Amino acid sequence: MEKGNKKLALLVGCNYPNTRNELHGCIYDVLAMREVLVNRFRFDPNQIELLTDAPGSSVMPTGANIKGALDKMVSKAEDGDVLFFHYSGHGTRIPSRQPGRPFRQDEAIVPCDFNLITCGGLIDKEKEQIGPSSIIQESQKLCSSKPKTIPFQSILEHLSSLTSINTSDIGTHLLEYFGADASIRFRLAPHQESELFEFLKPDEGILLSGCQSNETSADMSPIEGGGKAYGAFSNAVQIVLKEHSDPLSNREVVMMARKILQEQHVEQHPCLYCSDENADACFLLQPETES
């Protein structure tokens, strides 16, 4: 493969089996995504890493393993490469540590070991192309759903049980239990955290989010027919790609996924954050169909 023409992917699926936070569709999501990456977007299977908490997984999607896999993917990248990170699992919102923002909440993903990975930085610098919508549909659903989020208080209670420390500061628990494997955001003083993200430049990436910041993504389980569970947004993207074989822009993928979720009466609104140029760029740089 020519220099600067690689396609690298990390796909993470957390179902949290045998816990009160158990989901059912996240591992299916990443397996379906791997198939479409290989068959449609011509990713080399050897350049796709899967981390799931399926029984028997040799490498679990812990916070340290997810960050390690991301570091490895980035270290192999060259100018012109495509890097794709897909996460299906719970998210949460935690109090911001940045000075002057006492009521702001930061978003984080919840690895299988609860070693939170904060998501700040990317969308703070990127332009909102498709964002909040106030349209709410109320109708009969064909699937039961579970929100893919764990409340902050539940996260705090779980970590407190591990550390036996009586504090509401989430960073204290993460540093005590995970040490150097905790996210860098919790290992820095608040003023250092602000300085860290000042160095990020615009146009550093493209973010397709399954829902708005005031919503939660849904883990769907068919009520009848014994079908497979799935993530609502991941499934909507899969439907869009199956119905449209020609290349689609990032904007088109998100807008079409929104329409599908609306038709399914799922109350979440996918969003797109990126530059104007990347909004209209081809999703995952799909190769043109050979005639």
Side-chain angles (χ1 to χ4, degrees):
M1 180 172 288
E2 296 180 4
K3 180 179 179 180
N5 196 31
K6 299 189 300 296
K7 293 186 174 184
L8 313 173
L10 171 61
L11 314 179
V12 177
C14 296
N15 273 349
Y16 317 90
N18 304 314
T19 72
R20 64 179 181 176
N21 303 304
E22 185 169 11
L23 298 172
H24 300 282
C26 297
I27 294 175
Y28 173 76
D29 284 349
V30 298
L31 294 176
M33 181 55 69
R34 179 176 62 178
E35 182 178 350
V36 78
L37 289 180
V38 172
N39 295 334
R40 175 164 179 159
F41 296 100
R42 301 182 188 174
F43 277 64
D44 181 345
N46 296 319
Q47 300 281 22
I48 301 175
E49 183 168 2
L50 256 66
L51 294 179
T52 78
D53 57 0
S57 289
S58 58
V59 182
M60 298 291 284
T62 63
N65 288 340
I66 293 172
K67 289 181 289 186
L70 283 169
D71 286 343
K72 184 173 76 171
M73 180 170 68
V74 171
S75 68
K76 293 194 297 184
E78 302 169 291
D79 287 345
D81 287 349
V82 174
L83 277 63
F84 181 68
F85 174 60
H86 174 111
Y87 172 79
S88 287
H90 278 304
T92 192
R93 295 186 180 93
I94 61 176
S96 175
R97 299 173 66 244
Q98 296 187 35
R101 292 175 154 176
F103 302 109
R104 174 177 168 171
Q105 291 185 315
D106 292 331
E107 295 177 317
I109 62 174
V110 185
C112 67
D113 62 347
F114 279 60
N115 185 6
L116 304 182
I117 300 176
T118 54
C119 306
L122 177 61
I123 62 173
D124 289 341
K125 296 290 184 178
E126 294 298 345
K127 180 178 179 181
E128 178 186 289
Q129 299 289 343
I130 302 172
S133 168
S134 60
I135 300 174
I136 300 295
Q137 299 291 327
E138 295 183 1
S139 184
Q140 182 178 1
K141 297 180 181 180
L142 299 179
C143 297
S144 63
S145 64
K146 180 177 182 177
K148 291 162 71 171
T149 185
I150 302 177
F152 170 73
Q153 191 61 37
S154 297
I155 297 282
L156 189 62
E157 290 172 1
H158 176 76
L159 292 174
S160 297
S161 72
L162 298 177
T163 64
S164 300
I165 297 176
N166 183 21
T167 178
S168 61
D169 179 54
I170 198 79
T172 298
H173 294 292
L174 293 169
L175 289 171
E176 172 67 20
Y177 195 74
F178 296 106
D181 285 335
S183 288
I184 189 171
R185 170 165 285 190
F186 303 109
R187 292 185 274 123
L188 297 174
H191 72 277
Q192 292 176 309
E193 177 187 336
S194 300
E195 294 170 358
L196 174 68
F197 292 104
E198 286 178 2
F199 292 101
L200 286 176
K201 299 178 296 184
D203 196 23
E204 288 294 318
I206 303 167
L207 174 64
L208 281 70
S209 173
C211 64
Q212 298 169 183
S213 60
N214 64 332
E215 298 175 327
T216 58
S217 294
D219 187 60
M220 309 296 290
S221 298
I223 295 174
E224 299 177 355
K228 294 182 178 179
Y230 54 84
F233 176 57
S234 296
N235 183 67
V237 171
Q238 294 286 341
I239 292 173
V240 167
L241 296 176
K242 287 178 181 178
E243 292 181 348
H244 301 84
S245 59
D246 291 334
L248 297 170
S249 70
N250 293 299
R251 188 191 307 276
E252 288 172 326
V253 169
V254 174
M255 289 303 297
M256 291 178 182
R258 272 194 168 213
K259 183 178 179 181
I260 288 170
L261 291 172
Q262 181 179 348
E263 292 171 348
Q264 295 175 339
H265 310 295
V266 178
E267 297 176 5
Q268 69 184 70
H269 302 84
C271 300
L272 174 65
Y273 300 90
C274 62
S275 66
D276 292 338
E277 181 180 0
N278 282 336
D280 296 314
C282 184
F283 179 64
L284 289 179
L285 298 183
Q286 178 181 342
E288 293 289 342
T289 305
E290 297 179 359
S291 56

